[in-house]
Amino acid sequence: MVSAVSISGRIPGRRLIAASELAVVVLAAVVLVAACGGAPPATVRSVASPSVRAASAAATPSAAGTPSRTASAAPARVVSPGLAGTYGVAERQMTLAEPAHVGVTGQHLGERSVLTLIRYPVARGSSGSWPSSGPFPLLMFAPGFMQCSDTYEHLLQAWASAGYVVASVDFPRTDCLVGSAAYEPDLVNQPGDVSYALGRLLALNAHPHDFLSGRLNPHAIAATGQSDGGDTVAALAADTCCQDRRLKAVAVLSGAEWPPMPGPYFTRGAPPMLFVQGNADTINPPWTSVQLYRADRATRYYLDLYGADHMVPYTGDNPVERLVARITLAFFDRYVLGQARALATMTRAAGASGGLAALGSGGGLPPDTG
């Protein structure tokens, strides 16, 4: 059975986004197949055939900021591991059936359909084959309220083209498809959705003869998200209700503490964290990121984006988005892959940004932070 899925950006409630900042995109048709036998009880209900796309940082952006769905892969070249553009990128879609359970607030939750889009590195010029190198580190990505992962296409492509498998979770009650039925209070259940999806991917990685078999490094996992997705991964990193100890690093992109989360933040330690924030953001004001950044004295970084709003730093192909891609990638390289030199890359990229941004650490804030 084949089903077409149309995805379009919409205007969220609490975190209002100008419609002009969003692009309408359409996903390819999804081919439904059964999950492999012997996998854990929850099933993978649909998997799409991979669609190979160029994923070089040098790829030509499409008109009007709409992500290009097809492009020619650039010629193979010798590059250092962890550099955007090292690989081409293909994608595969899964719909995971999260079993009914009791949520973190004590609410009984029925089965949740968790749409997960996997962008993964491929050998350049291939039709979707995994490269001979690997296994690969894994990034879990959480979109904002009434958004789907394609809103952030260029950013996610940059990470995947550097050798990360990027798994984007489109949430069942707050993604771009639900329209007027969007229910933002369900954010309290979204960390559980991400953890569930992560567990399923790792189970498939360990299962013989699966698409993911042996492709993921279970000891090299990070999470990142934007806006309400940033709130989601902040809870995964630091809230006692929802902490996922499998995460080696977390990047919060214009996110905050979500008050209805039932546990306190930063009382049981948390992995290294990077907070990215526009100082002209009126939807997620800078103080909300500063609150998280200064909550403890562990390994913390604050990337202040001067004059940036809520969405532009993470969408389309623009100088601020490219800077965010470089610095977040260096952060993951440092704390997920253990590349010591990546810390200098973070500092150098911010310092050479031409006034676009400044990087703080250890509780210190850059000048002019809002």
Side-chain angles (χ1 to χ4, degrees):
M1 179 174 65
V2 175
S3 64
V5 183
S6 175
I7 293 184
S8 62
R10 300 179 188 269
I11 299 175
R14 180 173 71 88
R15 285 179 168 163
L16 185 64
I17 299 170
S20 61
E21 293 179 351
L22 303 178
V24 177
V25 294
V26 179
L27 282 180
V30 179
V31 181
L32 299 180
V33 298
C36 297
T43 58
V44 178
R45 288 186 172 167
S46 66
V47 180
S49 300
S51 63
V52 181
R53 297 176 288 167
S56 170
T60 303
S62 56
T66 303
S68 173
R69 302 303 294 179
T70 58
S72 298
R77 56 195 174 93
V78 178
V79 292
S80 301
L83 183 65
T86 303
Y87 301 97
V89 174
E91 66 180 37
R92 179 166 289 222
Q93 182 174 285
M94 299 178 177
T95 299
L96 307 174
E98 184 177 0
H101 62 282
V102 176
V104 294
T105 62
Q107 177 188 9
H108 177 78
L109 303 174
E111 182 181 286
R112 294 167 68 86
S113 180
V114 182
L115 181 65
T116 305
L117 184 62
I118 301 170
R119 293 169 175 85
Y120 60 98
V122 297
R124 287 189 171 279
S126 77
S127 60
S129 302
W130 289 93
S132 57
S133 56
F136 296 95
L138 174 63
L139 294 181
M140 303 298 296
F141 181 77
F145 182 59
M146 294 188 73
Q147 304 301 317
C148 289
S149 64
D150 277 339
T151 301
Y152 313 90
E153 181 76 11
H154 196 271
L155 183 61
L156 305 187
Q157 287 269 357
W159 293 331
S161 74
Y164 286 81
V165 175
V166 182
S168 309
V169 176
D170 290 348
F171 298 108
R173 301 194 67 184
T174 65
D175 74 4
C176 64
L177 298 175
V178 296
S180 61
Y183 185 64
E184 195 172 26
D186 192 60
L187 196 156
V188 297
N189 299 311
Q190 291 181 179
D193 294 337
V194 176
S195 284
Y196 176 77
L198 172 56
R200 291 295 298 128
L201 295 178
L202 293 179
L204 293 172
N205 181 62
H207 191 267
H209 313 302
D210 189 83
F211 159 71
L212 286 173
S213 297
R215 302 299 185 180
L216 306 178
N217 182 346
H219 306 294
I221 302 169
T224 181
Q226 192 267 337
S227 192
D228 279 13
D231 300 5
T232 299
V233 299
L236 277 173
D239 192 296
T240 55
C241 74
C242 313
Q243 279 183 299
D244 194 319
R245 297 293 184 181
R246 294 170 294 190
L247 302 178
K248 299 298 184 184
V250 170
V252 178
L253 313 178
S254 298
E257 291 188 11
W258 183 248
M261 290 291 180
Y265 286 76
F266 295 103
T267 60
R268 297 181 183 172
M273 299 181 73
L274 168 65
F275 302 95
V276 183
Q277 176 69 45
N279 73 353
D281 188 343
T282 59
I283 296 168
N284 191 84
W287 71 263
T288 59
S289 286
V290 172
Q291 179 185 41
L292 285 166
Y293 168 59
R294 288 183 156 173
D296 67 0
R297 294 295 181 184
T299 303
R300 307 285 178 256
Y301 298 92
Y302 188 97
L303 180 62
D304 195 1
L305 305 173
Y306 296 138
D309 67 6
H310 192 59
M311 290 298 291
V312 168
Y314 318 108
T315 58
D317 181 11
N318 61 77
V320 181
E321 185 275 340
R322 290 193 293 271
L323 179 66
V324 169
R326 286 196 299 274
I327 291 178
T328 52
L329 180 58
F331 171 72
F332 295 134
D333 287 349
R334 172 64 186 90
Y335 293 104
V336 178
L337 302 184
Q339 296 179 359
R341 67 182 184 277
L343 184 57
T345 301
M346 290 175 61
T347 304
R348 185 166 56 250
S353 66
L356 290 178
L359 183 67
S361 62
L365 290 172
D368 302 320
T369 297

